[in-house]
Amino acid sequence: MTETVSIITLAIASLAGLAMVTTAALAGWRGWLDLQRTALAGGHPEIPAAAPANTGARIELADLRERVRKLEAIAAGIDL
């Protein structure tokens, strides 16, 4: 009987400890996410704000235009 009570007590204490660790980890995760949101919004001076989302698209579009220009020159027989 005493052994069963000890095992149950140990199991309950373990579950309570796991719940506390999980709660602390979740609070830390939410804090980190808030920090990242603030940094992306440009509100934190130590963390640089992210570049505009369309910068990469503009670079890719310019690269594609350059490729098309070169292909058109090759098709027309013009040596670059």
Side-chain angles (χ1 to χ4, degrees):
M1 178 77 172
T2 304
E3 186 176 329
T4 305
V5 172
S6 297
I7 291 173
I8 291 173
T9 304
L10 183 61
I12 290 172
S14 297
L15 285 174
L18 181 63
M20 286 188 271
V21 168
T22 303
T23 303
L26 182 60
W29 175 252
R30 287 181 179 162
W32 183 82
L33 286 176
D34 288 339
L35 177 66
Q36 296 303 314
R37 283 189 195 108
T38 304
L40 287 174
H44 203 277
E46 285 85 23
I47 301 173
N54 60 356
T55 303
R58 282 192 222 158
I59 293 171
E60 187 175 338
L61 185 60
D63 184 42
L64 289 173
R65 285 181 179 158
E66 181 68 22
R67 288 181 185 181
V68 168
R69 187 185 65 78
K70 287 180 181 180
L71 288 173
E72 287 174 346
I74 290 171
I78 300 172
D79 197 17
L80 294 177

